[in-house]
Amino acid sequence: MPQIQSHYPLTSLNTFGLQSVAEYFISIEQPQQLLDCIADPKTKSIQWSILGGGSNLILPELVHGLVLKMDLKGRQLTHEDEEYWYITAAAGENWHEFVQWTLEQGWGGLENLSLIPGL
């Protein structure tokens, strides 16, 4: 189970730099940590908010409940056929870097979605 932190500052985790604090906070870096949160009676009984890159997000001064920061990493080609590439990306991957990576691999199609902030 990941470490639950109380009154965790979210100011640096939102692109507007708004002063905000999470009542409870967990950084999810491995898929098993998310499964542990789902199974733990302490965490599954309170409200959850999911935080990615914090772009275009207006946070209140206090976010009640548990904030789960998605810090999962990983991207891979999972399948391809004559028409498409099927690519999986984890919830903590930077979107722009992901798009650039697909282009470096020669897998076109997402280039018009480049420079979108977020994870």
Side-chain angles (χ1 to χ4, degrees):
M1 177 71 185
Q3 178 67 32
I4 298 174
Q5 300 180 51
S6 297
H7 297 91
Y8 189 88
L10 300 174
T11 304
S12 67
L13 298 178
N14 71 89
T15 58
F16 290 121
L18 299 172
Q19 297 280 330
S20 183
V21 173
E23 185 176 16
Y24 301 104
F25 178 90
I26 295 176
S27 174
I28 302 294
E29 298 173 359
Q30 299 293 326
Q32 185 60 47
Q33 293 174 311
L34 184 56
L35 296 173
D36 291 346
C37 286
I38 292 168
D40 189 321
K42 293 182 294 190
T43 56
K44 74 179 195 179
S45 64
I46 60 176
Q47 176 182 329
W48 289 12
S49 297
I50 308 296
L51 180 61
S55 57
N56 298 321
L57 182 64
I58 305 295
L59 295 173
E61 288 183 25
L62 174 64
V63 179
H64 293 281
L66 176 64
V67 174
L68 290 97
K69 170 75 169 84
M70 292 294 111
D71 284 323
L72 298 165
K73 301 294 182 206
R75 51 192 182 204
Q76 66 179 352
L77 176 68
T78 55
H79 178 73
E80 67 180 287
D81 58 33
E82 294 177 8
E83 293 184 66
Y84 301 106
W85 298 280
Y86 300 86
I87 303 167
T88 300
E93 285 287 334
N94 176 283
W95 178 255
H96 177 69
E97 291 172 11
F98 171 71
V99 171
Q100 295 304 305
W101 175 77
T102 63
L103 296 174
E104 290 166 7
Q105 308 308 309
W107 305 326
L110 295 178
E111 56 273 8
N112 63 328
L113 301 173
S114 190
L115 297 175
I116 296 174
L119 306 178

